[in-house]
Amino acid sequence: MAAVLAASALAGVLMCNAYPVFRDHAQAKMEALRAETSEDGEGATSVAEETALDEELRRYIQSSIYYMNYEITPEMDAYEYLTQNYDMTKMSGSETAAVREASKRLMKNMRNQYVTVQSLNGYSSYALGVEKQYGSDSTLERIIQGDTDLQDYYAAGLVVSYDSRGVPSVRQMWGIDGRASDELASYLTRTSMIRLMEDNGMERGSYVDETYEEDLYEEGSADEIYEETYEESDVTEKELPEAETYGDDGEADAETASPALVARGSELLRQIPVPIIQNTTFAFGLSENRDYGISDPTYDYWIEYDAYFSSGYAVAVGILIASMALLALILQNLPALGLRESRLFRLPAEVTAVVGLTGLSVTLSLVLTEFGVYTLKNGSDSFAGDLAYLGLGDASSTAAVLLLWLFWSCLAFGWYWFTASLLPYVTHPVRTLREQLLCLALWSWLKKQCLRLWHWATDIRLDQKLENNIWKLVGLNGLIVAFLCVFWIGGIFGTIVYSVLVFFLIRRKCGQMQEDYEKLLKVTRAIADGDLNASADVEMGVFDPIRDEIASIQRGFRKAVDEEVRSRNMKTELITNVSHDLKTPLTAIITYVDLLKKEGLTEEERASYVATLEKKSQRLKVLIEDLFEVSKATTNNIVMNYEEVDLVSLIKQVRLENEEKIAASELDFRWSIPEERCVLRLDPQRTFRIIDNLVQNILKYSMPRSRVYISLKETERTVRAEFKNMSAEEMNFTPEEIKERFVRGDLSRNTEGSGLGLAIAQSFTELQGGTFAVETDGDLFKVTLEFPRTADAGQ
């Protein structure tokens, strides 16, 4: 990640350092274009040439003001708008219908002329009223609000305001002879319906051939027109053809209106005063159609844009984007960096798409348009001025440079990130979409939550919590029904659907319970028939607790049966082993007694037979004593005599008593016994017997010329003695088997021993509160004794 950040920072530095080069190229290109245009001297119109406020322009402004005022007047049609300052009850129904048709025609003509003149001449206009605005030129709106710097966007223009009395005044005027301001205000003050109609193609006589003898309208000021009243005798109603008909509202059909009706309505409309315009401001931007010249502000902007855009700036931006994309293709495929595993490049697909499209939009709409021209033209000074305004003071220039560098660095990193994020979608599209689509993850989560809710609602246990489960179902059902009742008639339909759904769900649940019950019965019958290995590892729903208890009973029965079989086998083996071990010395004794009865024996033979008899009888005695010891230890029918015993001295004593045997065995004994005393409260006779039995076991069954390790270690809570030797025979038994009574390491029973040594040692160790553990690893045989250090151990 450090390499990516370093590359992004370097890209930002390179772009900032390239700004002066781009600016010089752009300025040189603009100077060359200006020089070329100055030599031609054609197609450029000077801003100093002022627009003439001639009669045609005044008529356009006048008509546009009344049309735009109609557009911002709330909820009025043409008839209501044009007749709002006249009492129409003075006219008859036929006259009202005629005026309505004339009003619609006049407003239609005003709209058509407004659109046509603006389109042909490139004019702009804007009306700002109390309640509404009309026009799409926001620049004119800002000029109305006082931003005079924007006047340069138009070759000429003016702003006209009407006060609360309806008197117009010219607030702003540029590009027009200033002396025309009062003339325009006076012209607008004298506006009449006759002038509006004549300016919009409704001159007198153009709509009817006959003329009227009396001119019922005298031109005057707006105030005079408003105050003037007319008598009914002043308006001579022209008789209409008998075929003329009207609707209930007195309005004639526009398509069937006769020429006489149209003429009559236009003539009556000419006599009505114009609407009064109050508290409204109108702005006009007058930009003539001229050939492009360097004096045109719009043309200046596009010259600058083309110059700066083709100065190498656009190419540099493209190189920056391509370089970061190529770097992403390289670094993302280097396993040593591990960038592909970073969560930054493995965001959800929706986030990647939104951020990527946003970055693309920013690149196209900001970097390659206004931002590029703005920053290239003004450099960091443009930012510095804004930052100084925010209060950074002398640090504004440095902050501006840092901001510019930060922008380009972020842009470079953004394109690296976008390319790196897209790589998995190119190499493994299906897998990546499956893993990183947020909607899929959300769907899985919702599905999981719904399943959890379903299991929670339907998980019924036949235990002490059954009542709680019933309340849970009743409460949930009540909430659903209450929710459905909110929808009134729709709730009835929903309740029916819900009831049908509940029926099928209950039937499905009951069917599943029946299946689970059959499974439980099947397992129970198998166990009852004596099949203790019948499998109960199946889902049984509400009967799972019963299944678990039956499985426990099954394991208990199986264990008891195994123990019984093992006990029988042990009894049989015990009888066999005891019989064999007792029979061997007893047979020898009987044989040698018979030999002693023979006559003619020499004293040497007799002495030899007696010695053999003594040896066999002693072995028989030891065997019987060992058998009694094991029997008493197993039945806890033995008295232990505890006293303070030094375990170190006890091991050394065993070592001394077996020193001859150890020397004759050719075994290399390695004793690791501490010099200091290790005093424990034990039975010294039984503890000596434990250690001696283990040493005797080592001497009998160890591999010749192998090493034997005997060690004693003390910890804070225990004392541990370890006995390790290499077996001469293959140990094809388990540690548990070798500790059984009459089990010997020599399965052929050719060596001396009763097979009770380890059993006696284990029994005496456990009677004293210790632990006796046997481990085998290949040919390694290890016995570990561990006694607690407590003062009353074994009692």
Side-chain angles (χ1 to χ4, degrees):
M1 186 61 68
V4 178
L5 295 176
S8 302
L10 179 61
V13 171
L14 293 176
M15 284 299 296
C16 291
N17 289 332
Y19 263 46
V21 178
F22 301 150
R23 190 179 300 113
D24 292 342
H25 288 177
Q27 293 293 340
K29 195 167 186 178
M30 290 174 62
E31 291 296 334
L33 184 58
R34 287 193 180 96
E36 181 181 353
T37 305
S38 177
E39 291 177 359
D40 295 341
E42 298 179 356
T45 304
S46 174
V47 176
E49 296 181 7
E50 297 179 340
T51 301
L53 193 61
D54 53 15
E55 182 67 20
E56 182 180 354
L57 183 55
R58 287 198 300 268
R59 289 182 177 181
Y60 158 73
I61 294 172
Q62 173 187 258
S63 180
S64 298
I65 285 175
Y66 280 88
Y67 171 69
M68 288 191 290
N69 187 59
Y70 162 73
E71 291 288 351
I72 66 174
T73 303
E75 299 179 357
M76 279 193 181
D77 58 16
Y79 167 75
E80 293 173 339
Y81 172 73
L82 293 174
T83 62
Q84 60 181 302
N85 295 331
Y86 185 77
D87 186 7
M88 292 302 294
T89 60
K90 297 178 180 180
M91 296 187 183
S92 63
S94 61
E95 290 176 331
T96 300
V99 173
R100 188 179 298 275
E101 291 301 317
S103 300
K104 291 168 60 178
R105 180 185 174 198
L106 175 59
M107 191 56 66
K108 180 179 180 181
N109 291 352
M110 290 173 67
R111 179 175 61 251
N112 293 340
Q113 178 170 286
Y114 171 79
V115 174
T116 303
V117 173
Q118 289 207 142
S119 177
L120 291 175
N121 296 283
Y123 292 166
S124 300
S125 60
Y126 195 86
L128 182 62
V130 177
E131 298 183 8
K132 294 178 64 178
Q133 300 87 30
Y134 181 76
S136 58
D137 195 335
S138 59
T139 304
L140 287 175
E141 180 185 9
R142 295 173 61 185
I143 291 175
I144 292 175
Q145 295 171 353
D147 192 348
T148 57
D149 294 337
L150 298 178
Q151 293 177 355
D152 293 339
Y153 280 96
Y154 308 96
L158 70 156
V159 177
V160 179
S161 290
Y162 284 77
D163 59 18
S164 59
R165 298 172 302 164
V167 178
S169 61
V170 180
R171 286 175 46 191
Q172 299 181 44
M173 181 178 288
W174 68 96
I176 302 175
D177 187 357
R179 292 171 296 180
S181 174
D182 296 336
E183 178 186 350
L184 178 61
S186 177
Y187 182 83
L188 296 175
T189 302
R190 298 193 303 272
T191 303
S192 65
M193 193 69 73
I194 296 174
R195 184 182 295 172
L196 286 176
M197 295 176 69
E198 292 179 349
D199 290 347
N200 289 278
M202 295 180 65
E203 298 87 352
R204 177 175 291 178
S206 63
Y207 40 84
V208 66
D209 294 336
E210 55 185 309
T211 59
Y212 295 87
E213 297 177 357
E214 185 179 2
D215 189 0
L216 301 178
Y217 177 81
E218 292 182 1
E219 185 176 353
S221 66
D223 294 336
E224 294 171 349
I225 293 172
Y226 181 75
E227 295 172 359
E228 187 175 0
T229 60
Y230 301 92
E231 299 294 336
E232 291 184 4
S233 59
D234 292 337
V235 180
T236 303
E237 182 177 358
K238 189 175 182 63
E239 294 183 1
L240 299 175
E242 294 181 359
E244 201 74 53
T245 59
Y246 302 90
D248 294 338
D249 57 355
E251 183 176 356
D253 189 349
E255 296 182 357
T256 62
S258 65
L261 177 63
V262 174
R264 182 61 174 164
S266 298
E267 190 61 33
L268 290 173
L269 185 60
R270 292 170 66 89
Q271 302 174 33
I272 296 175
V274 294
I276 296 178
I277 303 175
Q278 295 176 309
N279 302 319
T280 307
T281 301
F282 304 88
F284 296 88
L286 310 175
S287 178
E288 299 178 4
N289 286 330
R290 301 176 292 177
D291 295 333
Y292 283 136
I294 59 175
S295 59
D296 184 356
T298 304
Y299 182 57
D300 283 341
Y301 169 79
W302 288 110
I303 286 180
E304 288 183 346
Y305 177 81
D306 291 337
Y308 282 109
F309 193 73
S310 59
S311 64
Y313 167 77
V315 176
V317 173
I319 292 175
L320 171 66
I321 295 173
S323 299
M324 297 308 295
L326 180 62
L327 186 64
L329 294 176
I330 297 174
L331 296 184
Q332 293 297 120
N333 289 293
L334 294 180
L337 299 179
L339 293 176
R340 283 203 174 188
E341 303 302 323
S342 174
R343 287 294 305 169
L344 181 62
F345 305 111
R346 297 173 60 194
L347 297 179
E350 293 85 351
V351 176
T352 302
V354 171
V355 176
L357 292 176
T358 302
L360 180 62
S361 301
V362 168
T363 303
L364 295 178
S365 63
L366 185 62
V367 175
L368 300 180
T369 54
E370 289 80 2
F371 180 82
V373 176
Y374 180 70
T375 54
L376 283 174
K377 182 178 179 181
N378 302 316
S380 60
D381 296 337
S382 58
F383 288 138
D386 297 335
L387 296 176
Y389 179 76
L390 295 176
L392 291 182
D394 297 337
S396 300
S397 299
T398 304
V401 174
L402 288 177
L403 283 176
L404 195 61
W405 167 80
L406 183 62
F407 172 82
W408 287 109
S409 299
C410 292
L411 181 73
F413 181 80
W415 277 97
Y416 180 95
W417 171 86
F418 185 62
T419 306
S421 300
L422 284 181
L423 276 178
Y425 296 94
V426 176
T427 55
H428 304 91
V430 177
R431 185 182 69 184
T432 305
L433 285 173
R434 187 184 300 113
E435 293 176 353
Q436 298 185 202
L437 266 177
L438 190 61
C439 58
L440 288 180
L442 182 60
W443 168 253
S444 300
W445 181 82
L446 288 175
K447 183 179 178 182
K448 182 178 180 181
Q449 297 305 315
C450 291
L451 288 176
R452 287 182 60 186
L453 179 61
W454 166 253
H455 290 309
W456 174 82
T458 59
D459 186 15
I460 302 176
R461 296 292 176 180
L462 303 176
D463 53 12
Q464 294 84 356
K465 296 183 180 179
L466 179 61
E467 183 176 351
N468 295 336
N469 292 330
I470 295 174
W471 276 113
K472 176 175 65 176
L473 290 175
V474 173
L476 184 61
N477 184 73
L479 288 176
I480 296 175
V481 173
F483 175 77
L484 293 174
C485 290
V486 174
F487 297 99
W488 194 42
I489 297 178
I492 297 175
F493 176 76
T495 303
I496 296 174
V497 174
Y498 171 68
S499 301
V500 173
L501 180 63
V502 168
F503 168 76
F504 284 106
L505 291 177
I506 292 176
R507 188 177 71 172
R508 178 184 175 185
K509 186 68 177 179
C510 292
Q512 184 178 357
M513 291 176 65
Q514 287 179 336
E515 293 179 2
D516 295 338
Y517 181 70
E518 291 296 331
K519 294 177 184 177
L520 181 63
L521 285 179
K522 182 179 179 181
V523 173
T524 306
R525 292 190 186 107
I527 296 175
D529 292 339
D531 184 7
L532 298 180
N533 295 318
S535 177
D537 297 333
V538 291
E539 290 292 333
M540 296 184 183
V542 296
F543 303 108
D544 281 346
I546 302 176
R547 178 205 61 188
D548 296 338
E549 294 300 326
I550 290 178
S552 299
I553 296 173
Q554 184 181 20
R555 288 192 296 270
F557 275 134
R558 190 184 302 118
K559 183 178 180 181
V561 170
D562 292 342
E563 288 291 336
E564 180 64 23
V565 172
R566 184 166 173 268
S567 177
R568 289 182 180 180
N569 294 335
M570 286 181 60
K571 288 179 181 178
T572 303
E573 186 178 357
L574 175 63
I575 295 173
T576 302
N577 292 336
V578 169
S579 300
H580 180 274
D581 289 336
L582 290 178
K583 182 179 180 180
T584 300
L586 185 58
T587 301
I589 291 173
I590 295 173
T591 301
Y592 282 100
V593 169
D594 291 338
L595 291 175
L596 287 174
K597 291 179 180 181
K598 290 182 180 181
E599 297 181 358
L601 293 177
T602 63
E603 289 297 327
E604 293 180 356
E605 290 177 338
R606 188 181 302 276
S608 174
Y609 293 160
V610 171
T612 301
L613 285 172
E614 182 180 8
K615 181 179 178 181
K616 297 299 180 180
S617 62
Q618 288 295 330
R619 182 182 177 189
L620 182 60
K621 176 184 176 183
V622 170
L623 180 61
I624 294 174
E625 289 178 351
D626 288 346
L627 185 60
F628 285 153
E629 289 286 352
V630 170
S631 177
K632 289 189 291 183
T634 304
T635 59
N636 289 328
N637 189 19
I638 189 171
V639 178
M640 306 295 291
N641 300 313
Y642 290 103
E643 60 182 69
E644 299 292 334
V645 176
D646 181 10
L647 200 56
V648 174
S649 299
L650 207 60
I651 294 175
K652 290 181 178 179
Q653 183 179 351
V654 173
R655 176 182 178 182
L656 290 173
E657 291 194 8
N658 292 278
E659 187 172 2
E660 294 182 1
K661 293 182 179 180
I662 292 173
S665 65
E666 299 182 353
L667 297 175
D668 185 5
F669 276 76
R670 301 294 179 92
W671 304 86
S672 178
I673 303 173
E675 295 296 331
E676 61 273 10
R677 300 179 66 201
C678 179
V679 180
L680 298 176
R681 187 170 180 79
L682 301 171
D683 185 326
Q685 182 180 355
R686 268 74 181 200
T687 305
F688 179 88
R689 181 74 178 275
I690 293 170
I691 299 172
D692 185 65
N693 283 1
L694 294 176
V695 172
Q696 296 298 330
N697 192 69
I698 290 172
L699 292 172
K700 291 177 183 177
Y701 301 111
S702 292
M703 181 184 295
R705 291 181 294 277
S706 64
R707 296 186 183 89
V708 177
Y709 295 89
I710 300 177
S711 63
L712 182 67
K713 299 179 181 178
E714 297 184 63
T715 62
E716 293 182 0
R717 296 183 179 182
T718 62
V719 175
R720 178 182 298 175
E722 293 182 352
F723 299 81
K724 294 184 287 186
N725 67 289
M726 299 299 294
S727 174
E729 303 291 336
E730 180 182 358
M731 294 186 292
N732 51 359
F733 49 79
T734 64
E736 288 74 19
E737 292 174 345
I738 195 64
K739 291 187 292 183
E740 296 294 341
R741 296 184 295 274
F742 291 99
V743 175
R744 295 164 57 177
D746 178 17
L747 298 181
S748 62
R749 313 185 72 85
N750 293 324
T751 59
E752 289 188 1
S754 62
L756 297 174
L758 292 181
I760 294 173
Q762 180 182 13
S763 299
F764 287 168
T765 302
E766 293 175 351
L767 283 173
Q768 298 182 92
T771 59
F772 186 91
V774 175
E775 301 177 41
T776 58
D777 185 4
D779 291 333
L780 175 64
F781 185 83
K782 176 181 176 182
V783 177
T784 303
L785 304 177
E786 193 166 14
F787 294 100
R789 298 182 67 91
T790 54
D792 56 347
Q795 295 187 10

Short mmCIF file of all heavy atoms in Angstrom, two decimals, residues 754-779:
data_model
loop_
_atom_site.label_atom_id
_atom_site.label_comp_id
_atom_site.label_asym_id
_atom_site.label_seq_id
_atom_site.Cartn_x
_atom_site.Cartn_y
_atom_site.Cartn_z
N SER A 754 4.94 -63.22 38.69
CA SER A 754 3.56 -63.62 38.86
C SER A 754 2.59 -62.81 38.01
O SER A 754 1.43 -63.16 37.90
CB SER A 754 3.17 -63.47 40.33
OG SER A 754 3.27 -62.12 40.74
N GLY A 755 3.06 -61.68 37.46
CA GLY A 755 2.18 -60.80 36.72
C GLY A 755 1.39 -59.88 37.62
O GLY A 755 0.46 -59.21 37.17
N LEU A 756 1.77 -59.87 38.93
CA LEU A 756 1.05 -59.02 39.89
C LEU A 756 1.85 -57.79 40.29
O LEU A 756 1.37 -56.98 41.08
CB LEU A 756 0.73 -59.84 41.15
CG LEU A 756 -0.21 -61.04 40.95
CD1 LEU A 756 -0.31 -61.83 42.25
CD2 LEU A 756 -1.58 -60.56 40.51
N GLY A 757 3.05 -57.66 39.76
CA GLY A 757 3.92 -56.57 40.20
C GLY A 757 3.32 -55.20 39.94
O GLY A 757 3.23 -54.35 40.84
N LEU A 758 2.90 -54.93 38.67
CA LEU A 758 2.34 -53.63 38.34
C LEU A 758 0.98 -53.43 38.99
O LEU A 758 0.64 -52.31 39.40
CB LEU A 758 2.22 -53.47 36.82
CG LEU A 758 3.55 -53.38 36.05
CD1 LEU A 758 3.27 -53.21 34.56
CD2 LEU A 758 4.39 -52.20 36.55
N ALA A 759 0.21 -54.52 39.11
CA ALA A 759 -1.10 -54.40 39.75
C ALA A 759 -0.95 -54.02 41.21
O ALA A 759 -1.70 -53.18 41.74
CB ALA A 759 -1.88 -55.70 39.61
N ILE A 760 0.03 -54.63 41.90
CA ILE A 760 0.29 -54.29 43.30
C ILE A 760 0.78 -52.86 43.41
O ILE A 760 0.34 -52.10 44.28
CB ILE A 760 1.29 -55.28 43.92
CG1 ILE A 760 0.66 -56.68 43.99
CG2 ILE A 760 1.75 -54.82 45.29
CD1 ILE A 760 1.64 -57.76 44.43
N ALA A 761 1.70 -52.47 42.53
CA ALA A 761 2.24 -51.10 42.58
C ALA A 761 1.13 -50.07 42.35
O ALA A 761 1.08 -49.03 43.03
CB ALA A 761 3.33 -50.95 41.53
N GLN A 762 0.24 -50.35 41.40
CA GLN A 762 -0.85 -49.41 41.15
C GLN A 762 -1.78 -49.33 42.36
O GLN A 762 -2.20 -48.23 42.74
CB GLN A 762 -1.62 -49.84 39.90
CG GLN A 762 -2.80 -48.91 39.56
CD GLN A 762 -3.57 -49.37 38.36
OE1 GLN A 762 -3.40 -50.51 37.91
NE2 GLN A 762 -4.42 -48.50 37.84
N SER A 763 -2.15 -50.47 42.92
CA SER A 763 -3.06 -50.47 44.06
C SER A 763 -2.48 -49.72 45.24
O SER A 763 -3.16 -48.89 45.86
CB SER A 763 -3.38 -51.91 44.46
OG SER A 763 -4.01 -52.61 43.40
N PHE A 764 -1.19 -49.96 45.58
CA PHE A 764 -0.57 -49.28 46.71
C PHE A 764 -0.43 -47.78 46.45
O PHE A 764 -0.56 -46.97 47.37
CB PHE A 764 0.80 -49.90 47.01
CG PHE A 764 0.71 -51.26 47.66
CD1 PHE A 764 1.85 -52.08 47.77
CD2 PHE A 764 -0.49 -51.73 48.14
CE1 PHE A 764 1.77 -53.33 48.37
CE2 PHE A 764 -0.57 -53.00 48.73
CZ PHE A 764 0.56 -53.79 48.84
N THR A 765 -0.17 -47.40 45.19
CA THR A 765 -0.04 -45.97 44.87
C THR A 765 -1.37 -45.25 45.03
O THR A 765 -1.45 -44.17 45.63
CB THR A 765 0.46 -45.79 43.42
OG1 THR A 765 1.71 -46.47 43.27
CG2 THR A 765 0.64 -44.33 43.08
N GLU A 766 -2.43 -45.86 44.52
CA GLU A 766 -3.74 -45.21 44.60
C GLU A 766 -4.27 -45.18 46.01
O GLU A 766 -4.99 -44.26 46.39
CB GLU A 766 -4.71 -45.91 43.66
CG GLU A 766 -4.35 -45.72 42.17
CD GLU A 766 -5.24 -46.52 41.25
OE1 GLU A 766 -6.03 -47.34 41.79
OE2 GLU A 766 -5.17 -46.34 40.02
N LEU A 767 -3.94 -46.22 46.83
CA LEU A 767 -4.37 -46.22 48.23
C LEU A 767 -3.73 -45.07 49.00
O LEU A 767 -4.31 -44.58 49.99
CB LEU A 767 -4.00 -47.55 48.89
CG LEU A 767 -4.91 -48.75 48.54
CD1 LEU A 767 -4.32 -50.03 49.13
CD2 LEU A 767 -6.33 -48.52 49.06
N GLN A 768 -2.58 -44.60 48.58
CA GLN A 768 -1.89 -43.49 49.25
C GLN A 768 -2.19 -42.13 48.62
O GLN A 768 -1.49 -41.15 48.89
CB GLN A 768 -0.37 -43.74 49.24
CG GLN A 768 0.01 -45.01 50.00
CD GLN A 768 1.52 -45.22 50.02
OE1 GLN A 768 2.19 -44.78 50.95
NE2 GLN A 768 2.04 -45.90 49.00
N GLY A 769 -3.24 -42.08 47.76
CA GLY A 769 -3.66 -40.80 47.17
C GLY A 769 -2.86 -40.39 45.96
O GLY A 769 -2.99 -39.25 45.49
N GLY A 770 -2.02 -41.27 45.44
CA GLY A 770 -1.22 -40.93 44.27
C GLY A 770 -1.85 -41.43 42.98
O GLY A 770 -2.92 -42.03 42.97
N THR A 771 -1.15 -41.18 41.89
CA THR A 771 -1.60 -41.65 40.57
C THR A 771 -0.53 -42.52 39.96
O THR A 771 0.67 -42.28 40.14
CB THR A 771 -1.91 -40.47 39.63
OG1 THR A 771 -0.74 -39.67 39.48
CG2 THR A 771 -3.04 -39.61 40.16
N PHE A 772 -0.98 -43.57 39.24
CA PHE A 772 -0.07 -44.53 38.62
C PHE A 772 -0.42 -44.57 37.14
O PHE A 772 -1.52 -44.98 36.76
CB PHE A 772 -0.27 -45.91 39.26
CG PHE A 772 0.69 -46.95 38.81
CD1 PHE A 772 1.89 -47.18 39.47
CD2 PHE A 772 0.41 -47.73 37.68
CE1 PHE A 772 2.77 -48.17 39.05
CE2 PHE A 772 1.29 -48.71 37.25
CZ PHE A 772 2.48 -48.92 37.93
N ALA A 773 0.51 -44.13 36.28
CA ALA A 773 0.25 -44.04 34.84
C ALA A 773 1.30 -44.81 34.08
O ALA A 773 2.50 -44.74 34.38
CB ALA A 773 0.25 -42.58 34.38
N VAL A 774 0.84 -45.60 33.07
CA VAL A 774 1.73 -46.37 32.20
C VAL A 774 1.60 -45.83 30.78
O VAL A 774 0.48 -45.63 30.29
CB VAL A 774 1.37 -47.87 32.24
CG1 VAL A 774 2.22 -48.66 31.24
CG2 VAL A 774 1.55 -48.42 33.64
N GLU A 775 2.73 -45.60 30.10
CA GLU A 775 2.74 -45.12 28.73
C GLU A 775 3.68 -45.98 27.91
O GLU A 775 4.74 -46.42 28.41
CB GLU A 775 3.20 -43.65 28.66
CG GLU A 775 2.33 -42.70 29.45
CD GLU A 775 2.88 -41.28 29.41
OE1 GLU A 775 3.34 -40.86 28.33
OE2 GLU A 775 2.89 -40.61 30.47
N THR A 776 3.28 -46.21 26.66
CA THR A 776 4.14 -46.96 25.74
C THR A 776 4.30 -46.16 24.46
O THR A 776 3.33 -45.56 23.96
CB THR A 776 3.52 -48.32 25.42
OG1 THR A 776 2.23 -48.14 24.84
CG2 THR A 776 3.42 -49.18 26.67
N ASP A 777 5.50 -46.14 23.94
CA ASP A 777 5.78 -45.46 22.68
C ASP A 777 6.81 -46.30 21.93
O ASP A 777 8.02 -46.18 22.15
CB ASP A 777 6.31 -44.05 22.95
CG ASP A 777 6.49 -43.26 21.67
OD1 ASP A 777 6.13 -43.77 20.59
OD2 ASP A 777 6.97 -42.10 21.72
N GLY A 778 6.31 -47.16 21.03
CA GLY A 778 7.23 -48.08 20.37
C GLY A 778 7.74 -49.10 21.36
O GLY A 778 6.96 -49.84 21.98
N ASP A 779 9.06 -49.13 21.55
CA ASP A 779 9.66 -50.05 22.53
C ASP A 779 9.89 -49.36 23.86
O ASP A 779 10.44 -49.98 24.78
CB ASP A 779 10.99 -50.58 22.00
CG ASP A 779 10.78 -51.52 20.82
OD1 ASP A 779 9.69 -52.12 20.77
OD2 ASP A 779 11.68 -51.64 19.97
#
